[in-house]
Amino acid sequence: MTTTPHLTRTAPVGRDELARLVSGAHHDPHGVLGAHPYAGAVTVRVLRPFAQQINVLADGERYPMAHEFEGVFVGLIPGETVPDYRLEVVYEGNTSIVDDPYRFLPTLGEIDRHLISEGRHERLWDVLGAHVRRYDTPSGPIVGTSFAVWAPNARGVRVVGELNYWDGRAHPMRSLGSTGVWELFVPDLGAGSRYKFEIMGPDGRWRQKADPLAFATEVPPATASVVHDSHYMWSDEEWMTQRAQRAPETGPMSVYEVHLGSWKAGLSYRELADELVAHVRELGFTHVELLPVAEHPFGGSWGYQVSSYFAPTARFGDPDDFRLLVDRLHQAGIGVIIDWVPAHFPKDEWALADFDGTDLYEHPDPRRGEQPDWGTLVFNFGRTEVRNFLVANACYWLEEYHIDGLRVDAVASMLYLDYSRKDGEWTPNKYGGRENLEAVQFLQEMNATVYKRIPGTFTVAEESTAWPGVTRPTHLGGLGFGFKWNMGWMHDSLAYMRQDPVHRSYHHHEMTFSMMYAWSENYVLPISHDEVVHGKGSLFGKMPGDRWQKLANLRAYLAFMWAHPGKQLLFMGAELAQEAEWSESRSLDWWLLEHPDHAGMCRLVGDLNAVYRDNPAMWQLDASPDGFAWIDANDSNSNVFSFLRYGADGEVLACVSNFANMVHSPYRLGLPHAGRWAEVLNTDATGYTGSGVGNLGGVDADGEPWHGLPTSTTLTLPPLGTIWLRYVP
């Protein structure tokens, strides 16, 4: 290789422009750096602040470069066309041959930019964030990482990280016009590299920010984003094919809610793929619901203060490890729901807050942009790019991680402008009302997009008010959710169960009131993590009486819940009859299973799920009044509730709950059909450590009309017990 003397006819660049480039405030560094034909030759400029010497290597020749200005080197290549070139860079005696980031075209096309500007890029994660890419060149393939970030008010953006020893001066990004996106492709950089974006705001101050669309992160409390390139090969094709054909509202759904960090502390995603899957399969739940898995800085938030919306938390492994967990659940026939938190985000200075030196993701008015309850910021739902970020994120989890459902957290806080605010602390909407019209529009857009793009998936609203039409389709003016948590049922039924049986007759309506509105929405009955923390005690602890009575109450309550119209959700630990209140800092008390009464509770939950799944009458018509009929809703003197569940083909089960601490025998019960009724479940069975009071496997309905039904039977109701009777034609 020969050395050619340095030429002098380089493309001129003014000192002011070079100064802006070096300071990081240049909107188009590619217009200065890289290779540019000029006056019959090709000018090459390189920004390497610590280099001693740089040579351009092209066509077998070495072309020395001269230092021009504060780390900017310039040189010439003969000829009028830009060749395939590399850079030979010398640092304190160490020489390396590298590619030039500033010779590559933008990685975002015109259509991508248009969709981003319109706020309708439904696969935003394909173009923003960090992506490992491969390009073929005359000198061989080039592998590198493209970076793109939305920061419309920034004066300059740089990539900073391990690639440049956390000094971003050598890697300024270019602005892609009115989109507000900044972009750079860095050759020879692959998966595993840690990085952030260094952003100069309008105030001239630099801020280091984690990538809002990072696919992976460091393990907290470290805060860098990590380049990730997934090579996971899914094995859930059968599940995904069937999912696309399902109608979740008319299928069975019993959900096991899990906080991954405390189910069994210390387990990784891969270990959970063995142990959690085995436990859920043994119990027979149809779905698991995971408290938020998106990365979050503070473990004590349980994941509800998200800093990286596109990255599964690194606490338990990398993103492909999480894919394995989902895959294994699907292979076991178990659906996966994740908690999703679009309502608010934390104020950490390295994350979304004040992202480009302005109120970018958060609403600029603190009366709408701050959530006083949680000390967090509220998204600006009226900004198209912010809505796009969140809608794309919802699709991302369902498409890229095969998640089956999103449980949307804190919907009420989004819907009402005066949520947790006193008079004078909120501003009304344009009509003078308290409804957050922009949040309503966002939720409708999110739901409509999800149901359009990913058939068979569903969304669930945690919404505790009487907002109308939460699960009504968007084209009918509803919010468009698939399901809504029935917080009213949860509060009323637990209030009843807390009463001593001698007082329950005065609270009878608390167990029947839910049927006054049962079909106003598609409901999930939630006994969630929120009911067993912060001094509320465990589910076992809420029950009155001595130890035996507590267990009996809990067994009877769970069987009543499973038979009640609506899907079921139970937080982990309830199947153990855990006595201690849940804490995210320690494991569940698995040692309880060494005791027969706690093992019996676990056995009951498994049997509840098995009988439930095997009998479509328990779930097929959950959202229709045709699937339910009271036998007797008014037997308050006996603390007894009795009702029928019907399937689409006429299959029928009777549920009878006796919440008195005494046996009722004989107890006459009206039934719709004469003949044999098999006792398919009895929570007082000795196998559950009950007292063994029951009906010897079933009863015959051959009696007089009763309870307005054509026939009846007499049976024995166990104390603090629930029985299920299935008609055997």
Side-chain angles (χ1 to χ4, degrees):
M1 182 179 290
T2 60
T3 298
T4 301
H6 176 62
L7 303 176
T8 58
R9 296 173 56 207
T10 57
V13 176
R15 293 291 251 195
D16 289 345
E17 187 167 10
L18 289 174
R20 283 194 294 118
L21 174 71
V22 170
S23 71
H26 201 294
H27 73 285
D28 183 22
H30 291 70
V32 178
L33 301 176
H36 301 274
Y38 177 77
V42 175
T43 297
V44 179
R45 276 189 172 84
V46 176
L47 175 57
R48 296 277 172 162
F50 301 108
Q52 292 181 331
Q53 175 60 45
I54 302 178
N55 301 310
V56 181
L57 308 180
D59 301 325
E61 301 290 336
R62 175 186 287 108
Y63 302 99
M65 305 185 75
H67 184 264
E68 184 177 24
F69 179 85
E70 295 185 8
V72 178
F73 291 77
V74 64
L76 282 177
I77 303 174
E80 298 184 357
T81 59
V82 178
D84 185 37
Y85 69 94
R86 300 293 185 273
L87 303 173
E88 183 182 63
V89 185
V90 180
Y91 292 104
E92 296 183 354
N94 296 318
T95 302
S96 57
I97 297 176
V98 299
D99 209 332
D100 184 4
Y102 297 92
R103 73 186 188 99
F104 293 91
L105 295 173
T107 53
L108 281 77
E110 289 296 330
I111 294 178
D112 291 322
R113 298 184 214 179
H114 172 74
L115 291 173
I116 291 172
S117 295
E118 293 289 317
R120 292 298 306 166
H121 203 306
E122 293 173 0
R123 290 186 61 90
L124 190 66
W125 66 91
D126 281 343
V127 292
L128 298 186
H131 295 268
V132 177
R133 302 184 189 273
R134 176 189 176 100
Y135 297 106
D136 292 323
T137 72
S139 300
I142 294 295
V143 176
T145 299
S146 66
F147 297 93
V149 62
W150 179 60
N153 303 300
R155 289 174 55 189
V157 183
R158 306 189 291 214
V159 180
V160 60
E162 292 177 317
L163 73 160
N164 49 32
Y165 303 98
W166 297 97
D167 186 325
R169 285 180 291 174
H171 290 92
M173 304 174 74
R174 66 177 144 203
S175 170
L176 299 181
S178 61
T179 63
V181 174
W182 298 72
E183 182 270 350
L184 180 67
F185 175 75
V186 180
D188 306 317
L189 183 69
S193 184
R194 298 179 301 143
Y195 71 98
K196 285 186 178 180
F197 293 117
E198 211 166 38
I199 301 173
M200 182 191 292
D203 57 2
R205 184 166 73 85
W206 287 101
R207 298 163 175 83
Q208 282 197 3
K209 294 287 188 176
D211 183 357
L213 277 91
F215 300 141
T217 69
E218 290 186 287
V219 179
T223 59
S225 303
V226 178
V227 178
H228 179 73
D229 189 25
S230 176
H231 295 285
Y232 188 78
M233 301 296 292
W234 290 90
S235 300
D236 63 348
E237 296 85 359
E238 181 179 356
W239 174 274
M240 296 296 284
T241 299
Q242 293 176 358
R243 180 179 88 171
Q245 301 166 357
R246 289 192 186 112
E249 292 81 2
T250 58
M253 186 182 297
S254 59
V255 183
Y256 185 62
E257 190 188 28
V258 177
H259 176 258
L260 290 175
S262 61
W263 184 75
K264 285 187 181 178
L267 295 188
S268 67
Y269 290 129
R270 290 185 171 271
E271 291 166 331
L272 288 161
D274 293 327
E275 298 192 34
L276 177 62
V277 171
H279 183 67
V280 176
R281 180 166 50 190
E282 183 178 2
L283 290 177
F285 284 96
T286 66
H287 293 74
V288 296
E289 180 175 318
L290 307 178
L291 271 62
V293 296
E295 193 59 272
H296 49 282
F298 176 48
S301 76
W302 313 331
Y304 289 100
Q305 295 192 11
V306 179
S307 53
S308 291
Y309 275 78
F310 288 78
T313 179
R315 290 169 173 85
F316 315 118
D318 69 23
D320 282 352
D321 294 336
F322 180 63
R323 286 182 170 92
L324 173 69
L325 173 58
V326 176
D327 200 353
R328 292 278 294 279
L329 284 162
H330 283 171
Q331 292 174 53
I334 302 163
V336 183
I337 306 165
I338 62 170
D339 280 10
W340 186 57
V341 193
H344 63 118
F345 58 93
K347 296 181 178 180
D348 300 82
E349 63 179 12
W350 50 269
L352 293 179
D354 193 32
F355 187 74
D356 64 356
T358 68
D359 299 311
L360 188 63
Y361 286 92
E362 62 269 36
H363 198 286
D365 186 340
R367 293 172 295 179
R368 294 193 181 187
E370 295 195 21
Q371 181 48 255
D373 272 2
W374 306 309
T376 52
L377 298 174
V378 178
F379 282 103
N380 185 355
F381 300 112
R383 187 161 192 164
T384 56
E385 298 94 339
V386 173
R387 286 207 309 273
N388 191 177
F389 172 82
L390 292 170
V391 171
N393 184 246
C395 296
Y396 170 79
W397 289 103
L398 300 171
E399 295 186 28
E400 294 295 326
Y401 286 94
H402 293 195
I403 300 300
D404 303 292
L406 301 175
R407 178 268 197 184
V408 184
D409 181 64
V411 172
S413 75
M414 302 166 66
L415 292 175
Y416 297 99
L417 295 168
D418 62 347
Y419 184 89
S420 291
R421 291 177 171 86
K422 301 174 183 176
D423 290 344
E425 295 178 349
W426 63 282
T427 57
N429 62 35
K430 61 183 179 181
Y431 302 113
R434 59 196 284 254
E435 300 81 11
N436 189 335
L437 304 178
E438 295 169 343
V440 170
Q441 181 184 358
F442 155 68
L443 291 170
Q444 291 176 322
E445 180 180 342
M446 181 276 296
N447 281 314
T449 304
V450 162
Y451 280 90
K452 174 193 71 174
R453 286 187 62 92
I454 315 110
T457 60
F458 56 90
T459 58
V460 185
E462 187 214 12
E463 204 285 309
S464 55
T465 74
W467 186 281
V470 172
T471 59
R472 188 182 303 143
T474 55
H475 68 274
L476 298 178
L479 295 182
F481 285 94
F483 298 97
K484 171 180 172 173
W485 272 19
N486 193 337
M487 312 293 278
W489 171 87
M490 180 269 295
H491 283 111
D492 290 346
S493 64
L494 287 179
Y496 176 87
M497 293 305 299
R498 285 190 179 95
Q499 302 298 324
D500 188 277
V502 72
H503 299 134
R504 282 176 174 166
S505 62
Y506 304 105
H507 299 267
H508 196 80
H509 69 283
E510 292 176 352
M511 289 290 262
T512 61
F513 181 68
S514 60
M515 299 312 303
M516 301 296 291
Y517 60 87
W519 296 283
S520 61
E521 304 279 4
N522 299 330
Y523 281 116
V524 172
L525 311 180
I527 300 298
S528 74
H529 63 280
D530 279 331
E531 307 317 310
V532 294
V533 293
H534 296 327
K536 295 180 181 179
S538 66
L539 199 55
F540 170 90
K542 298 180 194 300
M543 302 296 140
D546 59 23
R547 180 178 179 78
W548 188 92
Q549 291 173 332
K550 285 179 180 290
L551 289 163
N553 271 300
L554 182 52
R555 291 193 302 265
Y557 176 64
L558 292 180
F560 175 86
M561 170 184 174
W562 251 249
H564 190 287
K567 313 306 182 184
Q568 296 79 37
L569 178 141
L570 190 67
F571 185 57
M572 64 182 199
E575 79 277 19
L576 312 178
Q578 175 143 331
E579 299 178 30
E581 185 176 86
W582 171 64
S583 170
E584 80 281 352
S585 61
R586 60 180 179 83
S587 297
L588 297 179
D589 294 332
W590 293 101
W591 54 270
L592 289 171
L593 291 178
E594 299 172 8
H595 298 268
D597 45 5
H598 293 275
M601 185 68 70
C602 201
R603 194 175 303 115
L604 170 69
V605 172
D607 289 348
L608 285 172
N609 281 322
V611 179
Y612 169 80
R613 292 180 76 160
D614 289 344
N615 291 274
M618 302 295 271
W619 42 262
Q620 203 169 46
L621 298 178
D622 268 332
S624 168
D626 295 337
F628 176 89
W630 282 112
I631 298 174
D632 188 355
N634 300 308
D635 192 1
S636 59
N637 289 333
S638 301
N639 292 352
V640 172
F641 305 86
S642 54
F643 55 85
L644 300 167
R645 295 301 310 277
Y646 288 95
D649 60 356
E651 176 195 5
V652 59
L653 276 85
C655 171
V656 189
S657 293
N658 174 22
F659 290 112
N661 55 6
M662 64 182 70
V663 177
H664 294 313
S665 182
Y667 186 90
R668 183 163 292 277
L669 184 76
L671 290 168
H673 303 300
R676 186 67 175 170
W677 289 75
E679 188 178 76
V680 293
L681 187 112
N682 181 342
T683 64
D684 196 47
T686 56
Y688 311 136
T689 66
S691 60
V693 174
N695 297 279
L696 301 176
V699 295
D700 293 306
D702 54 8
E704 60 186 299
W706 204 258
H707 291 138
L709 293 168
T711 188
S712 64
T713 189
T714 56
L715 68 163
T716 298
L717 297 184
L720 301 175
T722 294
I723 63 173
W724 293 354
L725 303 170
R726 180 176 60 200
Y727 176 59
V728 183

